[in-house]
Amino acid sequence: MAKLYFRYGAMNSGKSTALLQAAYNYEERGQRVLLAKPGIDTKGDDEIVSRLGVTRRVDVVFGPGDDVLDVFRSRRREVHDATGSDIACLLVDEVQFLTPEQVDDLLRIAIVEGVPVLAYGIRTDFRTMAFPGSRRLLEIAHSLEELKTICRCGRKAVFNPRKIGDRFVFDGDQVAIDGGEVTYESLCGACYLAESGGQLSPAGA
């Protein structure tokens, strides 16, 4: 049985690089893959952008209201009709931005369609609150794998605080795409608490 894999880590842990490497590994063996990302991730528009500078155009961009299973089935038919080949794997970048219902469809793709799904993303936002898509993946994925990176102090980074300019901020909308004034720094728990004044989530959350 094909499986749904959730490979997660703090920002700058090499998730997009790992995804592109996985795609290369499949294709090196003559197998066809589909690369996808949520439309809310506007960084690179319709490309996956690795922090090492490697980019690749995605095959599918999922909108917030899209039926992921239907979209996958349609693209699978298109690929088969055009090439005679089947899809060996679906790889999804920035998966935290999918809705829980769309994540459920990723599981259906693995189980019902028999196609492995490799989903890459982060667990929590800049306030340490779980993204709905990531929460659902933690509940239903067959396999969970943490991709690690280090904090500025040398310990393992686990949180993703937001910066505007040089200043850390701990309130605001859950989603603000990295770039321009808004950036993120991966921190360990101790450094996060030092920057937030001991705060772990917004008041009332």
Side-chain angles (χ1 to χ4, degrees):
M1 182 184 72
K3 295 181 180 180
L4 170 59
Y5 299 83
F6 183 29
R7 296 176 176 172
Y8 64 90
M11 296 186 73
N12 299 321
S13 59
K15 296 179 297 298
S16 296
T17 301
L19 182 153
L20 294 173
Q21 181 65 53
Y24 175 83
N25 291 344
Y26 270 97
E27 291 171 338
E28 189 179 35
R29 290 158 178 79
Q31 296 180 305
R32 187 171 295 275
V33 300
L34 276 183
L35 271 63
K37 64 182 272 189
I40 194 172
D41 175 29
T42 56
K43 183 173 61 177
D45 294 323
D46 59 352
E47 291 182 328
I48 292 174
V49 181
S50 154
R51 68 187 178 110
L52 297 183
V54 180
T55 63
R56 175 167 167 171
R57 186 174 299 277
V58 298
D59 303 294
V60 179
V61 176
F62 294 127
D66 284 351
D67 184 310
V68 165
L69 182 58
D70 280 352
V71 172
F72 173 79
R73 284 172 169 165
S74 176
R75 290 308 303 268
R76 189 181 194 181
R77 285 193 299 270
E78 290 173 7
V79 169
H80 185 269
D81 290 347
T83 68
S85 300
D86 198 7
I87 300 300
C89 184
L90 171 64
L91 300 103
V92 186
D93 199 27
E94 304 292 359
V95 71
Q96 71 272 6
F97 295 136
L98 295 185
T99 67
E101 294 77 16
Q102 290 174 323
V103 170
D104 287 349
D105 273 348
L106 296 183
L107 184 67
R108 293 185 181 100
I109 289 168
I111 294 175
V112 178
E113 301 296 306
V115 176
V117 180
L118 307 184
Y120 295 78
I122 60 178
R123 291 182 303 170
T124 58
D125 65 16
F126 71 109
R127 305 165 302 172
T128 74
M129 306 297 288
F131 286 96
S134 298
R135 182 185 299 115
R136 189 63 180 143
L137 277 159
L138 291 168
E139 292 168 343
I140 68 171
H142 294 97
S143 174
L144 303 172
E145 178 185 347
E146 184 178 15
L147 304 178
K148 299 176 178 64
T149 190
I150 60 170
C151 176
R152 61 194 182 195
C153 71
R155 289 179 287 229
K156 186 179 81 169
V158 291
F159 297 127
N160 308 289
R162 180 180 295 167
K163 299 175 79 172
I164 297 181
D166 293 327
R167 181 175 61 89
F168 284 100
V169 296
F170 297 93
D171 55 16
D173 293 338
Q174 184 173 53
V175 177
I177 302 301
D178 191 12
E181 268 202 353
V182 175
T183 58
Y184 297 85
E185 182 180 348
S186 303
L187 297 180
C188 70
C191 290
Y192 184 96
L193 288 173
E195 293 291 348
S196 70
Q199 179 176 313
L200 274 174
S201 62

